[in-house]
Amino acid sequence: MDEKLKIKISIADRVYPLTVELSQEEGLRSASKKIDIMIKQFEENYAVRDKQDVLAMCALQFASQVEQKQIDNSINGEETIERIKKINALLDQYLDN
């Protein structure tokens, strides 16, 4: 069982105390940094005055990336299944001869 760790994560100039598994710490810290970088990019590139709007756009961006990866993996999985079916058919033909 993983050891629990108390950490503080900063997002958009706010500190969030968390109790996490030791194995989660690196991922959470990395995610926090990516969020802050994205916030800075949105603030520099768009006339956004409200942190809530910037955070919503960050959430949308991250969620869309996850969704797109799932869609891509689904498509790749279907292609792989079709290839395997074709290979099986070829093997069946070869073995029948």
Side-chain angles (χ1 to χ4, degrees), residues 24-93:
Q24 295 176 310
E25 180 187 13
E26 183 178 355
L28 287 167
R29 291 193 188 281
S30 176
S32 169
K33 287 178 186 176
K34 287 180 181 179
I35 291 168
D36 280 335
I37 289 169
M38 193 177 291
I39 287 170
K40 187 175 181 179
Q41 289 173 341
F42 278 124
E43 288 175 337
E44 289 174 355
N45 295 325
Y46 303 100
V48 181
R49 294 188 178 124
D50 187 5
K51 281 280 192 212
Q52 182 74 29
D53 292 337
V54 175
L55 290 169
M57 293 305 296
C58 288
L60 179 61
Q61 181 112 4
F62 282 117
S64 68
Q65 289 171 359
V66 169
E67 289 299 318
Q68 190 60 50
K69 283 182 184 177
Q70 288 178 345
I71 290 168
D72 292 346
N73 288 341
S74 173
I75 291 169
N76 289 339
E78 291 170 11
E79 290 173 3
T80 301
I81 290 170
E82 287 303 314
R83 287 181 183 171
I84 290 171
K85 285 180 182 178
K86 288 178 183 177
I87 290 170
N88 279 337
L90 289 171
L91 287 172
D92 285 342
Q93 287 177 355

Side-chain angles (χ1 to χ4, degrees), residues 8-35:
K8 292 181 181 179
I9 297 291
S10 175
I11 300 173
D13 300 324
R14 290 183 116 177
V15 176
Y16 298 91
L18 302 171
T19 301
V20 301
E21 301 289 337
L22 185 60
S23 61
Q24 295 176 310
E25 180 187 13
E26 183 178 355
L28 287 167
R29 291 193 188 281
S30 176
S32 169
K33 287 178 186 176
K34 287 180 181 179
I35 291 168

